[in-house]
Amino acid sequence: MVCNIRDLLFPAKCVICDDVLAPTDGNGICMECRQYLRYIAEPVCMKCGKELLSEEEEYCFDCARLTRSYVRGFPLLNYVSPVKESLSRMKYEARQEYADYYGREIGRVFESELKKIKGAVLIPVPISEDRMKKRGYNQAELLAVSLGKKLGIPVDTKTLIRDIDTLPQKKLGSEDRMKNLMKAFKVSGRTAVPKAVILVDDIYTTGSTIEACTRVLMAAGCERVYYTAAAIGSGS
């Protein structure tokens, strides 16, 4: 009875159109909106996992010219409308429940690949303490928790921390982005650094954030870093 009352007061809504879900829709997205999800499809970049235009390419433009210290990436969707608007609501409009759907979808699509990473832990890309106080949650952490439940992989929110907020990355070139970000992240020292890490974020754009986190973790003793994200952009 409690569940029924809760469902009436707070009905589940579609992550795309935000309409109330029908009983036949399944969990998280309505039947109509499923067609609008642009999943990453082959051929993909062998490093970041972004879609490529030609099967003859091995790496995308960004990965061919920039240092990528992580092993490989597993992005779920292309960062285009209406996914772009959905992830914006999750991040800025307190639609925390969306993270459960996207985390489960990452797990469904990449279950075999992620489970092959022996001894890995999920580490969400952290946000600063100030931003956490203002927003009340870290969307990457919510994604990691959902993914962790789906695949039975532990989530570590203690090892990697974000000490400071950084300048808006869009205003900076690739080298300046990296310098900016390297100052922001650090290993807390409260726990042993895992040997294998899967970083989790909502959106992968230029790759600077994932690269900065990877470098910080590897400098502290991590041996292998991978990443996954709900969506990936077309690049810089």
Side-chain angles (χ1 to χ4, degrees):
M1 187 66 177
V2 173
C3 290
N4 290 336
I5 292 173
R6 183 179 179 183
D7 290 343
L8 287 171
L9 293 175
F10 306 103
K13 294 185 177 181
C14 173
V15 298
I16 298 298
C17 67
D18 209 36
D19 284 345
V20 174
L21 291 170
T24 55
D25 282 332
N27 202 350
I29 189 169
C30 69
M31 295 297 292
E32 175 69 18
C33 287
R34 289 178 193 273
Q35 64 184 307
Y36 301 126
L37 297 181
R38 278 192 52 199
Y39 288 87
I40 298 297
E42 296 284 353
V44 300
C45 175
M46 292 175 64
K47 185 58 77 167
C48 72
K50 186 185 304 176
E51 280 188 11
L52 297 175
L53 297 176
S54 167
E55 290 185 357
E56 298 181 0
E57 297 176 275
E58 291 187 347
Y59 299 100
C60 68
F61 177 73
D62 285 343
C63 289
R65 66 189 178 89
L66 299 172
T67 300
R68 303 298 198 206
S69 302
Y70 59 82
V71 179
R72 192 171 178 190
F74 301 97
L76 179 68
L77 299 160
N78 285 289
Y79 187 54
V80 294
S81 295
V83 168
K84 185 181 290 189
E85 290 76 18
S86 172
L87 293 177
S88 178
R89 292 197 300 273
M90 180 178 76
K91 189 170 185 175
Y92 299 114
E93 298 178 25
R95 303 312 300 269
Q96 299 177 49
E97 69 275 16
Y98 286 11
D100 186 54
Y101 172 78
Y102 287 115
R104 283 186 287 104
E105 273 297 279
I106 291 170
R108 182 184 69 81
V109 172
F110 295 116
E111 179 172 7
S112 61
E113 290 92 336
L114 297 179
K115 281 189 172 181
K116 285 177 186 174
I117 305 171
K118 299 299 182 183
V121 300
L122 300 170
I123 293 186
V125 172
I127 61 176
S128 69
E129 194 173 325
D130 285 346
R131 191 164 294 182
M132 178 67 90
K133 286 177 181 177
K134 289 176 184 175
R135 190 178 298 165
Y137 62 96
N138 175 5
Q139 71 283 350
E141 182 177 335
L142 298 178
L143 285 167
V145 169
S146 174
L147 176 59
K149 285 181 182 177
K150 173 72 175 176
L151 300 185
I153 300 175
V155 178
D156 176 352
T157 61
K158 305 295 185 185
T159 296
L160 187 66
I161 60 174
R162 189 164 193 154
D163 217 16
I164 57 172
D165 280 327
T166 51
L167 297 170
Q169 293 293 88
K170 290 181 180 179
K171 298 179 180 179
L172 303 173
S174 59
E175 287 302 317
D176 288 332
R177 283 173 185 161
M178 189 53 55
K179 290 177 184 176
N180 189 33
L181 282 164
M182 287 295 289
K183 298 173 187 175
F185 298 106
K186 70 177 184 181
V187 167
S188 70
R190 288 184 286 174
T191 58
V193 177
K195 295 300 180 184
V197 166
I198 304 168
L199 290 166
V200 182
D201 209 357
D202 54 340
I203 306 160
Y204 180 107
T205 50
T206 65
S208 298
T209 299
I210 294 297
E211 178 63 21
C213 290
T214 299
R215 291 187 191 184
V216 168
L217 286 166
M218 294 186 75
C222 182
E223 296 174 356
R224 293 168 293 135
V225 179
Y226 303 76
Y227 92 86
T228 187
I232 189 168
S234 58
S236 58

